[in-house]
Amino acid sequence: MSAREAETQASAYFARQYGVITVQQAHRAGLSDRMIEYRVSTGRWTRLATGLYAVASAPPNWQRDLAAAVLLHPTVFVAGRSAAALHGLPGIRHRQPEVMVPLTSNARSPLAKVHRSAFFHQIGTTRVAGFEVTTPAETVLTLAARFPAQRIEGLVDETIIKRSATLDEYEQILERIAGGRVRGSSLMRRIVTERRPDAYQPPSSQLERLSRRLTGQPGIPPASHQHPVLGTAGPMIVDTFIDDWLIVVEVDGRNYHTRKLDFERDRRRDNAAAALGYVTLRFTWRMVTDDFDYCLQTLLETGKRRQDLRRQH
């Protein structure tokens, strides 16, 4: 094989792999170790890691870095933040490449964060931009070990709304890893359970107790519950009303599917309250039970700002 033919075949690898090639691929293209070293010494190629090169004419970018990280392992696919970015999940940017390998593989890499999984060969993948990538549902599970609950809830809802994943798919993944001590699985199980059609809905009496507990804390003015309000579209009843702050507080205990059905009605209620100069704060049953401090702090901060604004006018 001539040097020109070898160069042509090497260029084909570069074109498919964002400007990256392994030493084995270079050999298959017809380039000897001496020819490879000549290209490195003259600056035509850049050595990224042992046995891994990039063509200098291709500027470095996140795709090249990710391709290099993938090529460095014999059995690998893109996972974590890198997979989320490729799928276009909101609020996730490309950082250090992240890949998944089998549990028995070497997790060390100079180019990437490496996740190891005992379920590697059962994990669902798909092709995105030339990469083998964990599916959106599998990707969210990987992120559940590192992101706060509210962020994961948003990602689950995003994938379901955009139909890139289904509730059944999430349930199948959780069934597969049951008993496997996978980080983030308990959070995912709770989120998925809340979104089932038969999900638990607390009784209204419990919701009212939670609302009274929240608005009865020190520093919060007197509140009235099940308060009638006359809006532009007629009378309506709000869960809790704090007159001194002109704040409406709603504690929502409906399950996921019911919330979707009532979404427009809730927006109409919020708009009617806004037309009267009220601010509506909505907390879910889980937020008030599991993250009470967040709900209280949000209410106190909103009330303080409302007071400041009223004094200015």
Side-chain angles (χ1 to χ4, degrees):
M1 179 183 296
S2 68
R4 176 172 293 183
E5 291 173 329
E7 190 71 38
T8 299
Q9 292 199 29
S11 296
Y13 281 111
F14 287 132
R16 293 195 301 269
Q17 299 172 171
Y18 296 96
V20 182
I21 194 170
T22 67
V23 65
Q24 294 85 357
Q25 291 171 339
H27 288 163
R28 286 198 292 271
L31 296 173
S32 65
D33 288 335
R34 183 177 177 181
M35 295 167 76
I36 293 172
E37 287 305 315
Y38 172 75
R39 283 160 174 75
V40 173
S41 64
T42 57
R44 294 171 60 188
W45 289 13
T46 302
R47 182 179 285 106
L48 301 177
T50 302
L52 190 66
Y53 306 90
V55 63
S57 60
N61 53 36
W62 67 265
Q63 291 100 327
R64 193 198 74 172
D65 294 344
L66 187 55
V70 168
L71 288 170
L72 206 56
H73 285 271
T75 306
V76 65
F77 44 71
V78 180
R81 281 182 173 272
S82 296
L86 284 170
H87 286 304
L89 295 182
I92 300 180
R93 297 179 180 179
H94 296 282
R95 293 185 180 176
Q96 180 188 25
E98 295 188 27
V99 297
M100 182 81 72
V101 299
L103 185 63
T104 55
S105 296
N106 183 1
R108 295 180 180 178
S109 171
L111 303 177
K113 178 181 179 62
V114 181
H115 304 274
R116 294 193 302 169
S117 174
F119 301 96
F120 180 85
H121 297 291
Q122 298 169 266
I123 292 175
T125 62
T126 185
R127 297 289 294 183
V128 181
F131 295 101
E132 191 73 15
V133 185
T134 54
T135 64
E138 299 277 10
T139 300
V140 174
L141 173 63
T142 304
L143 297 176
R146 301 147 61 191
F147 284 13
Q150 191 171 3
R151 185 87 179 275
I152 297 301
E153 286 183 333
L155 292 176
V156 170
D157 290 343
E158 175 82 8
T159 58
I160 292 175
I161 291 170
K162 291 192 172 180
R163 299 184 180 180
S164 58
T166 64
L167 197 60
D168 285 344
E169 186 178 356
Y170 281 111
E171 290 181 333
Q172 289 168 9
I173 293 172
L174 291 171
E175 183 178 347
R176 184 194 73 214
I177 64 176
R181 296 184 180 180
V182 176
R183 291 181 60 200
S185 60
S186 58
L187 171 61
M188 287 296 298
R189 190 165 283 107
R190 191 261 296 163
I191 292 173
V192 170
T193 298
E194 289 178 349
R195 281 150 180 75
R196 290 173 178 155
D198 59 348
Y200 170 74
Q201 298 185 68
S204 57
S205 58
Q206 184 178 356
L207 294 174
E208 186 171 342
R209 284 197 301 272
L210 290 170
S211 181
R212 288 179 181 273
R213 180 192 170 207
L214 176 63
T215 57
Q217 297 297 308
I220 297 178
S224 56
H225 302 274
Q226 296 301 304
H227 184 80
V229 174
L230 183 61
T232 55
M236 59 183 179
I237 302 294
V238 298
D239 286 353
T240 304
F241 180 66
I242 303 174
D243 184 63
D244 285 1
W245 289 347
L246 297 182
I247 289 179
V248 173
V249 179
E250 298 278 354
V251 178
D252 183 7
R254 296 165 294 172
N255 67 26
Y256 177 76
H257 294 273
T258 306
R259 287 200 303 271
K260 285 203 301 183
L261 293 173
D262 291 343
F263 181 84
E264 184 174 334
R265 188 196 69 180
D266 289 344
R267 299 294 82 72
R268 288 180 180 274
R269 286 163 55 89
D270 293 350
N271 291 342
L276 296 172
Y278 306 157
V279 167
T280 302
L281 295 179
R282 290 189 174 274
F283 303 112
T284 65
W285 168 74
R286 185 196 58 76
M287 290 167 69
V288 181
T289 53
D290 295 349
D291 202 357
F292 185 83
D293 289 344
Y294 160 78
C295 299
L296 177 59
Q297 191 64 28
T298 300
L299 178 55
L300 287 170
E301 289 179 359
T302 306
K304 182 180 182 303
R305 289 182 178 276
R306 296 287 286 173
Q307 278 185 320
D308 293 343
L309 287 173
R310 294 181 75 176
R311 286 170 185 159
Q312 292 173 12
H313 294 84

